[in-house]
Amino acid sequence: MQATEEIEEITYPRRRVIRVLLRRVAEAVFFALTDFHLVGKENFPQEGPLLVVGNHFSFIDPVAVIRVVPWPVEFVGGFRMPNAPPIVTWIPKVWGYYPVFRGTGARGALGAAEIVLKRGGILGIFPE
């Protein structure tokens, strides 16, 4: 299958059931372990397309985005996670993301991101 055919097959949102379950787990963990408060939620737009951009300080950052953003989020992210503890490296694989292979043009991930946004989707990225 060629890259253009793969891009045309992209759906949004995807993995709905598993993502609902993971979101519920994230909510429970944040409730139990943190004093996490979201300020400014009233400023969220009502619908997409939307690009959610953040600084990546910790391996938990994408989980925090999943916890606070009320829509299905697709992520573009690095294929390698050298600093993440092994216990959390399964989360992106189960959630699903469009991998960026550093040192390349990342055409597949960028093409997928474009399609998600064209379909009114929500795209998360940590561009550092």
Side-chain angles (χ1 to χ4, degrees):
M1 187 181 312
Q2 294 183 357
T4 54
E5 292 173 357
E6 290 175 11
I7 289 173
E8 290 172 3
E9 293 177 10
I10 291 171
T11 60
Y12 175 84
R14 59 190 181 126
R15 298 184 180 198
R16 293 178 190 206
V17 173
I18 191 69
R19 288 179 177 185
V20 167
L21 294 173
L22 287 173
R23 181 181 301 276
R24 297 295 179 252
V25 169
E27 290 170 353
V29 168
F30 271 77
F31 180 78
L33 300 177
T34 70
D35 186 18
F36 191 82
H37 297 282
L38 178 61
V39 177
K41 189 173 183 176
E42 68 277 1
N43 296 317
F44 281 1
Q46 295 299 312
E47 57 188 32
L50 180 65
L51 187 60
V52 178
V53 180
N55 289 328
H56 210 341
F57 294 110
S58 167
F59 64 88
I60 202 72
D61 295 338
V63 179
V65 169
I66 291 167
R67 164 63 182 87
V68 300
V69 173
W71 316 283
V73 179
E74 292 292 343
F75 286 99
V76 172
F79 175 71
R80 297 183 187 262
M81 296 173 263
N83 299 321
I87 195 161
V88 299
T89 57
W90 64 272
I91 296 171
K93 294 172 187 165
V94 173
W95 182 268
Y97 70 105
Y98 297 108
V100 173
F101 299 92
R102 288 176 175 89
T104 70
R107 294 177 71 186
L110 293 175
E114 182 179 12
I115 289 172
V116 167
L117 293 171
K118 282 183 178 179
R119 293 183 179 164
I122 314 304
L123 185 74
I125 187 168
F126 296 91
E128 76 290 336

